[in-house]
Amino acid sequence: MERITRHPIVSPPAERREVSFAFDGGTFSGFEGEAISSALAAAGVVAFSRHRKGDAPQGIFCANGQCSQCTVVVNGIAKKACVTPLCAGMDVRSLSGLPSLPADDGRFAGAEKRSLAADVLVIGGGPSGLSAAAELARLGLSVILADDKADLGGKLVLQTHKFFGSEEDCYAGTRGVDIARKLEAELRAMPNVTILANSPVVGIYKDRRAGIFLDYGHYALVDFSALVIATGAREKSVLFPGNDLPGVYGAGAFQTLVNRDLVKAARRVLIVGSGNVGLIAAYHALQAGIEVAGIVEILGKVNGYKVHADKIVRMGVPIHLGTSVVSVEGRGRVERVTVAKVDEAFRPLLETARTYEVDTVLVATGLAPCDEFYRQARDFGFLAVTAGDAEEIAEASSAMFGGRIAALSLAKLLGKKVEIDSGWLAKREVLKSRPGDRIPREAVEAGESWKPVFFCEEEIPCNPCTTVCPTKSIKLKPRKGSIMDLPYFEGKDCRGCAACVAACPGLAVSLVRRIDESWTEVLLPYEFLADFEPGVRLPLLDMDGNFLEEAELLKKTFYRKHKTWALAFKVSAANAPRAIGVRVQPAGATEPLPTASFEYLPDEAIVCRCERVTVGEIVAFVKENAVRDVNQLKSIRVGMGACGSKTCSVLLPQVLRKAGLDPAAVEPGSLRPLNMEVPMGALVNEGGFPADRGSAAASTRSEP
């Protein structure tokens, strides 16, 4: 792997201190404070440990502290590499099997009790949590917001694309990374808000207290009157042989490495899932200089926004519908993936199998709400509300409104005389809407003056082009009476400023102007490194990714506010109104091997990643032991691993159905007292203070 030193949207931090560390006896370098996992990935390390069962290699999967795939031994202590910051002189080693308990020769030196208090504890600093905390603070309530990351914003921090929605209400047309900064700056300016970054909430208790792992080094208790659960969602795994090989990433892990830490996490990737997450991950890969072999979707239609899919296809990435992964194979890491068409029951048709040489498989097959704390709070009788993905999986634009609405709902329960604006409720419903109807566009004929051409045919919540037009000549044609309506050009006053071209999140607007009877000037959006000069000829494509012609570049203009290029081409009059994209990726990047090569063993798919329990093992145990309670599966170690069943619990229903059970008739598994691992030393607050977090000395404290 390697570092990304040039990117069209994000830049490396201006000042980063490079430090040396040891890994398995070798000398490596990374940047102080970055996750150990990112430093190792940048050095080409994909296998972080070896599982005690079968000596199977383990690689990073979530990069979010949710699973245990990236566990390494740091200065003698087992730690998750994705949430442990790198510091100079660290001795990092692969974990082989189970970690050893460190020697404890020191005498107990006493404990320090640490406690905090606030009216409301907000768990999670993503878009909904930040919005909820700000709304509560404006009402005069004291707020503690705790988040498990150093930078607030949740998934916004990983999103380098422009947002859909309303510019007025949720920063449409602005990139997620920039929205995160805006929301965090607003919250930090409020005196009655305490922000605990890099400090996950690990448990809530019946005495109305929450345990927080402060700075991943010290344990503290927080007294609260009410809770906002804005813990987001975790990505679902998927069942196929080889699903636990190093190089099989969750989409969030891939975006963390590529967009947050600027690590080129792959050479060639295949993406599973055509929802917005999978579609935009393909775009992020291309921007990072990574080839995308294709996107496979088991359903017969694209699951995300059509404008997202359209722009990916015209960049040169095919989307294979009605197709599923048969197997992923490789020696110690991903080397190839085989896919095949599926029948009506979603069973693979092996005669249609195709094998691709890739080093990464990106899983983007949906999200599961992280709502465990809400379920506990409800059982304990606490005042608590959910917000964002913890309440309902939707876009981040909806999550911002959801956070504000949740905050006002909670404030009413706390006795505040507030009313929820009915307009907020209506806007949120629109923002979380699934795509509506598809309305074909009428052909546009270029004239002597500039004219916009719109390539968005599907009703989605989006209006930036209408708000950035200086002459207000772009309006939504009333159909549903909301920002779901499609934009149209009304009038003759287009100045050719290309603001609509640069602001459109779907890159679905062009400008055309006739040069003469044979040629037309076309302005197209471009969000890649424009390392070419006027005079070059580039391949232009239509909305469906079909090649139109090689066109001469006349000029290029960079719109700094939107970090988007407008490229002006000389295009034939016949093709000009249809041109909307420039091919980014050569066709060879998407070609399969001449002959399919795979071993299909469906029962070998891993369900419980931590304990490496397969589909076949669970089905056999269920049938032999008349299982009626998920907790019975713990006898074969299902859900007993370090992640606390966060991954396998989502997969179990389909496995139970395969064993002939109705999942609704099976007693669910018990939640653990703590949501993540906390060293025993941290629980009693032995030694160490936040000032020395990350030092070589600090990493030896808080022993189990």
Side-chain angles (χ1 to χ4, degrees):
M1 304 302 173
E2 59 190 66
R3 301 282 181 176
I4 299 170
T5 57
R6 296 183 66 227
H7 191 280
I9 306 301
V10 292
S11 301
E15 296 181 4
R16 292 196 292 181
R17 178 172 172 245
E18 191 169 358
V19 298
S20 295
F21 69 101
F23 178 67
D24 284 349
T27 301
F28 290 72
S29 65
F31 294 110
E32 187 174 44
E34 74 175 340
I36 292 174
S37 57
S38 296
L40 290 175
V45 176
V46 294
F48 286 55
S49 62
R50 311 288 301 192
H51 200 278
R52 70 182 186 280
K53 188 175 180 181
D55 200 38
Q58 305 285 282
I60 195 168
F61 177 72
C62 77
N64 197 33
Q66 295 283 315
C67 71
S68 61
Q69 303 296 287
C70 67
T71 302
V72 292
V73 179
V74 182
N75 296 343
I77 307 298
K79 292 179 178 289
K80 292 180 178 179
C82 70
V83 293
T84 302
L86 181 68
C87 67
M90 274 184 166
D91 180 16
V92 182
R93 297 181 182 273
S94 297
L95 173 63
S96 182
L98 293 173
S100 301
L101 288 174
D104 185 7
D105 299 325
R107 189 174 62 179
F108 179 68
E112 176 187 354
K113 181 179 180 181
R114 303 185 183 192
S115 60
L116 301 164
D119 294 324
V120 181
L121 171 62
V122 178
I123 307 177
S128 62
L130 291 170
S131 299
E135 200 67 37
L136 291 165
R138 280 191 282 268
L139 294 172
L141 294 163
S142 62
V143 178
I144 290 176
L145 182 143
D147 190 74
D148 60 351
K149 302 293 188 302
D151 298 315
L152 300 183
K155 290 296 189 288
L156 291 175
V157 176
L158 314 180
Q159 294 171 345
T160 59
H161 55 283
K162 295 190 289 269
F163 262 50
F164 293 95
S166 162
E167 184 184 40
E168 177 185 2
D169 297 317
C170 55
Y171 305 101
T174 303
R175 300 181 190 279
V177 289
D178 298 322
I179 297 173
R181 296 188 190 104
K182 293 175 185 289
L183 294 177
E184 180 175 356
E186 177 188 20
L187 194 63
R188 288 193 180 278
M190 296 179 168
N192 52 336
V193 176
T194 298
I195 294 175
L196 303 177
N198 227 43
S199 300
V201 174
V202 297
I204 57 174
Y205 310 114
K206 291 182 179 180
D207 58 354
R208 209 174 297 276
R209 286 182 165 186
I212 296 184
F213 198 11
L214 285 173
D215 218 21
Y216 287 98
H218 311 285
Y219 186 71
L221 291 173
V222 173
D223 290 281
F224 58 84
S225 297
L227 292 167
V228 174
I229 313 297
T231 40
R234 63 181 63 93
E235 285 162 307
K236 294 179 180 178
S237 183
V238 65
L239 296 173
F240 53 78
N243 63 346
D244 67 327
L245 266 178
V248 177
Y249 291 145
F254 182 82
Q255 291 171 321
T256 295
L257 289 170
V258 171
N259 292 340
R260 188 193 73 181
D261 299 336
L262 293 176
V263 172
K264 193 171 182 179
R267 300 291 182 189
R268 194 179 188 213
V269 61
L270 183 127
I271 296 171
V272 185
S274 72
N276 283 338
V277 173
L279 295 171
I280 208 63
Y283 197 57
H284 292 161
L286 294 174
Q287 287 182 321
I290 297 168
E291 292 184 347
V292 182
I295 299 173
V296 297
E297 168 60 56
I298 196 169
L299 300 178
K301 63 177 183 178
V302 169
N303 219 7
Y305 290 166
K306 186 176 185 296
V307 285
H308 270 329
D310 289 346
K311 71 181 179 184
I312 297 305
V313 169
R314 64 178 179 258
M315 301 299 167
V317 178
I319 300 176
H320 304 288
L321 301 178
T323 303
S324 182
V325 175
V326 172
S327 68
V328 174
E329 297 173 322
R331 292 186 296 267
R333 63 157 304 152
V334 173
E335 294 177 350
R336 60 190 176 275
V337 56
T338 299
V339 304
K341 291 286 187 180
V342 297
D343 63 14
E344 297 81 0
F346 302 116
R347 293 170 301 210
L349 301 170
L350 298 182
E351 64 273 18
T352 68
R354 305 183 305 278
T355 300
Y356 295 86
E357 284 188 340
V358 299
D359 61 0
T360 300
V361 172
L362 192 157
V363 177
T365 51
L367 301 170
C370 298
D371 60 356
E372 293 89 348
F373 285 142
Y374 179 68
R375 285 185 274 143
Q376 281 186 291
R378 186 179 57 197
D379 291 342
F380 294 159
F382 295 165
L383 294 180
V385 294
T386 52
D389 283 345
E391 176 189 10
E392 182 179 7
I393 305 298
E395 297 296 311
S397 52
S398 170
M400 289 180 236
F401 262 103
R404 298 168 72 183
I405 292 168
L408 293 181
S409 300
L410 187 62
K412 291 182 74 171
L413 295 174
L414 289 168
K416 293 284 185 180
K417 294 182 179 179
V418 295
E419 294 297 328
I420 300 175
D421 187 337
S422 60
W424 287 11
L425 299 172
K427 287 178 179 178
R428 190 194 178 200
E429 288 301 312
V430 170
L431 289 171
K432 69 180 184 180
S433 297
R434 292 287 300 165
D437 297 329
R438 292 187 181 179
I439 304 172
R441 296 281 187 171
E442 295 181 1
V444 174
E445 185 175 341
E448 294 182 0
S449 59
W450 287 107
K451 187 182 297 183
V453 183
F454 299 98
F455 292 84
C456 48
E457 296 182 340
E458 183 180 62
E459 294 174 328
I460 60 172
C462 186
N463 76 347
C465 60
T466 67
T467 57
V468 299
C469 179
T471 64
K472 305 301 179 186
S473 299
I474 300 175
K475 300 184 183 300
L476 300 180
K477 181 172 285 188
R479 187 169 181 268
K480 293 191 173 179
S482 71
I483 60 172
M484 293 285 286
D485 292 327
L486 297 181
Y488 288 84
F489 177 56
E490 294 187 359
K492 301 177 181 178
D493 191 14
C494 177
R495 301 175 184 173
C497 68
C500 57
V501 175
C504 177
L507 308 186
V509 184
S510 71
L511 291 182
V512 296
R513 179 178 64 178
R514 190 171 65 235
I515 298 174
D516 54 35
E517 293 301 320
S518 301
W519 298 99
T520 300
E521 184 177 358
V522 180
L523 289 179
L524 300 180
Y526 192 77
E527 290 191 335
F528 296 85
L529 295 172
D531 292 337
F532 38 71
E533 298 301 327
V536 69
R537 300 183 70 84
L538 297 174
L540 302 190
L541 291 85
D542 67 9
M543 182 173 66
D544 299 319
N546 299 310
F547 173 77
L548 295 175
E549 64 181 77
E550 297 274 349
E552 178 189 354
L553 178 68
L554 301 176
K555 66 177 180 179
K556 59 181 184 180
T557 305
F558 187 64
Y559 287 78
R560 190 170 302 278
K561 177 182 178 182
H562 299 289
K563 298 180 181 176
T564 301
W565 292 93
L567 304 182
F569 290 95
K570 181 181 178 181
V571 185
S572 65
N575 285 330
R578 299 162 55 206
I580 185 56
V582 179
R583 186 189 296 280
V584 174
Q585 178 172 260
T590 65
E591 291 296 321
L593 294 173
T595 305
S597 173
F598 63 97
E599 186 174 353
Y600 182 53
L601 301 168
D603 280 352
E604 296 302 308
I606 298 293
V607 180
C608 180
R609 300 174 68 91
C610 297
E611 299 293 321
R612 288 188 58 76
V613 186
T614 67
V615 171
E617 289 174 309
I618 296 173
V619 169
F621 183 85
V622 167
K623 290 181 176 179
E624 291 171 8
N625 296 278
V627 168
R628 293 297 180 268
D629 187 329
V630 167
N631 292 296
Q632 290 177 258
L633 299 177
K634 292 179 180 179
S635 63
I636 56 171
R637 303 296 298 173
V638 174
M640 294 292 285
C643 88
S645 78
K646 295 184 183 72
T647 302
C648 61
S649 61
V650 180
L651 298 173
L652 278 177
Q654 59 183 296
V655 181
L656 293 175
R657 280 191 288 269
K658 183 171 182 177
L661 292 181
D662 176 4
V666 179
E667 186 72 20
S670 302
L671 293 178
R672 291 189 183 178
L674 295 184
N675 195 49
M676 67 171 289
E677 306 92 327
V678 180
M680 292 297 293
L683 288 173
V684 295
N685 295 309
E686 289 186 72
F689 291 91
D692 62 11
R693 179 190 66 82
S695 69
S699 64
T700 63
R701 298 181 183 137
S702 296
E703 289 90 347

